[in-house]
Amino acid sequence: MSRPTVGVSRPGELAAARPRLAVAAGPPLAAFAQWLTELAFAGAGWPELLAALAERTGAACRLVAETGELLAASDGADGPRCAAAPDDVRRALVAQDARRPVPGGRAGGAGVPGGVPTPVRCADGWTGRAVAVGTGSRRLGALLLAEPVTAGQLAFAGAAPTALLIEAVRHESPPPAVRDAATVLRALRDGLGDPAGSPPGPTEAEAGLLRSGETGPSPAGGTGLLRAGEAELLRAGAAHGWRLDQPHAVAGIAYTGAQQRRWASALSWLDRPVLAEGRRAWTLLHGDVEREVTRLRVRLDQIVGGGQVRVVAGSLVTGPARTAVSFRDADRLLRLLLRSSDERPELPFGQAGLAQVLLAVPDERLRWFVHRHLGPIAHRDDLLRTLDCWLATGGSRQAVSERLHLHRNSVGYRVGLIKRLLGVDPLDPQTVAVLRTALAARELLAASEAG
């Protein structure tokens, strides 16, 4: 393991970078954990985080990798002479795993499970108690708190792993598997083309690029995987845990907040690879898709803050040749959700209402349908909003008045104008279905064209 380069702020810089502790009213331990996390997002490195922990606990602390390599220290220790014994570190981490409760808490970090953490001895004779730093199958190493330690000091040490992991993300390059997964997702989004009119299948060299995750010019002139056959995509997907020959759906994720660094960190700690593109990201879901959509959103909300993440799922498909359809559906549903005024955080395909059918209709046909049934009022947003509310409330003038903040007489005037311009009664049962569909089609088109 190569020694990561850790930058230390000059005196005076840390104070300016540190966010103020905003949870003073909460428990001291929770407030300290949040403060450290905010400090990490503000750019503090491991030495600064360890210094803050040492100041709070009154005990020196060190951060070591699983191999025993010293990553950072609060007491000025440096170099191989201060490394920890690898066997001690592994033994301490295994012992802590054995005491760990059943997973299911907050994302990130480790905390201190029941029992006394195992001591770890360093080459310079320094000894500390170990707190594991990792999440899921990914582990950075151990945080050591100098002996002797109290239960209270260890509790504060258990609040530090999340902040240390945030800094770890900045030190590591994306794992090759994640890079390859993003490349496979791009290939699935590009699709296999129409077999009747597509170019010949991949050459052996092109298939090798897919297997290795390398990229090259795409048929459209961009970058990404070269055209690949279905069998190659099946094998490439399986390498990342995706059974493309089984039902699956594309999940589209959007971030509406302003903390790009926090968003990038949140995506890197998901339990599945993603294709990240600015404020949006894409991945594949299996099983109970609606439950998985909620699980994804909750996980991300825990890291970036509630109310800043929107998640959708495209149609359920089977086979890599159909994944592009689910990608297209997810993209349009995500645009639709971001335009929605009700601020709901999720929109799986199964809850998309009329859009479930309209997504499969060519845009040209949708435009014709909208023009045919809404043409005379297509450029009157006031009348379109009134019609939408009128249909949603079953023709209640009072309800429309309250929703649109209009006088009841104004509602009556608008509805009368709609009847004259469209030449239909908006409450006729057959007309209601047509107008609802036309309004949904118009909204879907507007979302798609918004970009």
Side-chain angles (χ1 to χ4, degrees):
M1 175 175 177
S2 61
R3 177 73 178 272
T5 303
V6 179
V8 183
S9 298
R10 293 187 295 273
E13 286 186 337
L14 179 57
R18 286 183 179 174
R20 293 188 179 277
L21 186 55
V23 199
L29 189 60
F32 179 71
Q34 180 172 334
W35 178 68
L36 276 185
T37 299
E38 296 293 338
L39 195 63
F41 277 123
W46 285 325
E48 295 170 347
L49 297 172
L50 293 183
L53 177 61
E55 182 180 353
R56 182 64 184 82
T57 61
C61 43
R62 296 181 180 182
L63 180 64
V64 297
E66 285 188 275
T67 59
E69 178 186 4
L70 180 67
L71 300 177
S74 69
D75 58 359
D78 189 27
R81 64 183 181 81
C82 299
D87 289 343
D88 278 5
V89 176
R90 283 191 286 269
R91 191 160 40 246
L93 296 178
V94 169
Q96 190 159 333
D97 281 341
R99 295 192 299 269
R100 189 176 304 283
V102 176
R106 295 176 56 190
V112 181
V116 179
T118 305
V120 172
R121 183 179 179 83
C122 295
D124 60 351
W126 189 93
T127 303
R129 294 281 174 172
V131 173
V133 180
T135 180
S137 61
R138 299 180 65 181
R139 175 166 282 159
L140 174 62
L143 169 63
L144 308 180
L145 206 61
E147 297 261 49
V149 294
T150 66
Q153 289 172 317
L154 285 171
F156 277 97
T162 294
L164 296 172
L165 289 171
I166 291 169
E167 171 62 8
V169 171
R170 291 197 284 266
H171 285 283
E172 62 181 18
S173 59
V178 175
R179 286 200 300 268
D180 292 350
T183 307
V184 173
L185 285 169
R186 290 190 189 95
L188 290 168
R189 181 170 60 186
D190 290 345
L192 297 175
D194 179 4
S198 60
T203 64
E204 182 57 32
E206 291 170 339
L209 284 174
L210 176 61
R211 288 191 292 269
S212 67
E214 295 178 31
T215 60
S218 69
T223 59
L225 278 179
L226 293 169
R227 175 173 293 278
E230 186 169 359
E232 291 297 335
L233 282 174
L234 281 171
R235 285 194 288 271
H240 303 288
W242 296 323
R243 290 294 307 274
L244 299 176
D245 58 336
Q246 299 295 322
H248 59 278
V250 173
I253 312 166
Y255 174 59
T256 61
Q259 301 292 326
Q260 281 292 107
R261 180 180 293 171
R262 180 172 295 193
W263 169 240
S265 294
L267 291 177
S268 72
W269 286 101
L270 285 177
D271 60 355
R272 68 193 70 216
V274 301
L275 168 60
E277 297 178 322
R279 292 178 176 272
R280 298 186 184 182
W282 313 91
T283 189
L284 299 184
L285 304 177
H286 290 279
D288 187 338
V289 170
E290 293 188 9
R291 182 180 65 83
E292 288 298 297
V293 163
T294 298
R295 197 169 73 85
L296 261 181
R297 179 186 59 79
V298 170
R299 173 88 177 197
L300 291 167
D301 275 349
Q302 288 176 331
I303 302 175
V304 303
Q308 301 182 76
V309 175
R310 304 287 184 270
V311 184
V312 305
S315 52
L316 201 63
V317 296
T318 300
R322 297 290 298 165
T323 308
V325 174
S326 191
F327 252 112
R328 184 195 66 208
D329 292 345
D331 177 66
R332 299 185 76 174
L333 286 177
L334 191 58
R335 295 168 189 262
L336 192 64
L337 184 59
L338 290 171
R339 279 177 55 90
S340 175
S341 59
D342 59 12
E343 296 186 357
R344 51 184 168 170
E346 302 171 8
L347 185 59
F349 185 83
Q351 299 176 16
L354 282 171
Q356 292 173 284
V357 176
L358 298 177
L359 284 168
V361 179
D363 285 357
E364 182 180 354
R365 180 62 62 87
L366 290 179
R367 291 190 187 94
W368 176 88
F369 190 82
V370 171
H371 178 74
R372 171 67 179 80
H373 297 287
L374 296 177
I377 64 171
H379 300 293
R380 291 286 303 271
D381 287 342
D382 56 338
L383 296 184
L384 289 167
R385 286 195 302 271
T386 302
L387 177 60
D388 190 27
C389 288
W390 184 257
L391 296 175
T393 60
S396 170
R397 186 178 297 194
Q398 180 63 35
V400 175
S401 172
E402 293 173 357
R403 286 194 183 191
L404 297 182
H405 307 290
L406 291 173
H407 191 279
R408 284 169 53 89
N409 291 343
S410 297
V411 174
Y413 169 77
R414 287 189 181 185
V415 172
L417 184 57
I418 290 170
K419 288 181 179 180
R420 289 196 300 275
L421 291 174
L422 296 184
V424 296
D425 179 1
L427 289 183
D428 176 80
Q430 290 185 336
T431 303
V432 166
V434 171
L435 293 179
R436 282 187 181 278
T437 303
L439 287 169
R442 179 182 179 277
E443 187 62 23
L444 186 61
L445 288 169
S448 300
E449 293 165 359

